[in-house]
Amino acid sequence: MLRRLVFLIIHLLYRLRFRGRRHIPAHGPALVVCNHVSFVDALVVGGASPRPLRFLMDRPIYESPWLHWLFRLVGAIPVDSERRDPGGLRRSLDQVSRALRAGEVVMVFPEGRLTTDGEIHRFRRGLDLILARDPVPVVPAGLAGLWGSWTSHYGGRALTKPPRRFRARVALYFGTPLAPAEADRQRGEEGVRALKAEADRWVASRGR
């Protein structure tokens, strides 16, 4: 019910185009990796997915007083830096492993933070750490259209500016899964970049 509600809300807020949702395996574990543009990315990806997703997310956001209950309800996995929480990364990776070994789909934003310029930044090593423990299919996803929204860092810090756009075009394209033997952060990043470029073209076009 929660996923359906999210799906309805994001359809009201944006003109959405999804492609390739069939690439998320119907059964068994998988990782979905996507570029990180805004604070609503997880809602868009989670609403588009035909299966429930476990999100790996920054602990300060996870512990938000207003949304902590929601993140716990959907099974989000908090992660913190070793500097702020020694041993925290290992505990987060343990949770990811348990989810994957239980046959769940885990969603990761491998850049580790929101883009500050609208472009994809280099993927961090966390993706390789996950795959070294649990080789699973990796589904790349490219997201376009949310750069410029008040939930992105466009024009200043996210969430500090009044909303100025409504029913903006947003595209989310899923690609063919990378086999466990081939999957790593470099190939995942290449796939996400290619998909985002395709999604950008639709967002910039006038016709559907």
Side-chain angles (χ1 to χ4, degrees), residues 187-207:
R187 292 184 178 88
E189 182 179 332
E190 291 170 354
V192 171
R193 286 182 181 276
L195 290 162
K196 179 183 178 297
E198 293 183 52
D200 279 332
R201 286 193 287 271
W202 179 79
V203 169
S205 68
R206 293 186 178 181

Side-chain angles (χ1 to χ4, degrees), residues 131-172:
L131 292 170
R133 286 176 164 223
D134 299 282
V136 298
V138 173
V139 181
L143 180 62
L146 286 169
W147 178 246
S149 72
W150 70 292
T151 59
S152 73
H153 286 325
Y154 177 85
R157 288 178 60 84
L159 306 180
T160 62
K161 309 170 292 291
R164 295 182 177 178
R165 303 191 310 168
F166 181 68
R167 298 290 293 165
R169 285 177 168 232
V170 173
L172 176 63

Side-chain angles (χ1 to χ4, degrees), residues 93-174:
L93 291 175
D94 287 344
Q95 289 189 63
V96 172
S97 284
R98 287 194 291 270
L100 293 173
R101 292 170 189 179
E104 297 183 88
V105 181
V106 176
M107 169 73 210
V108 179
F109 296 108
E111 294 164 276
R113 63 186 64 183
L114 296 185
T115 178
T116 55
D117 56 11
E119 300 300 322
I120 298 176
H121 293 201
R122 291 185 63 183
F123 283 11
R124 297 186 176 186
R125 68 187 184 99
L127 180 58
D128 283 339
L129 293 177
I130 293 172
L131 292 170
R133 286 176 164 223
D134 299 282
V136 298
V138 173
V139 181
L143 180 62
L146 286 169
W147 178 246
S149 72
W150 70 292
T151 59
S152 73
H153 286 325
Y154 177 85
R157 288 178 60 84
L159 306 180
T160 62
K161 309 170 292 291
R164 295 182 177 178
R165 303 191 310 168
F166 181 68
R167 298 290 293 165
R169 285 177 168 232
V170 173
L172 176 63
Y173 289 3
F174 296 96

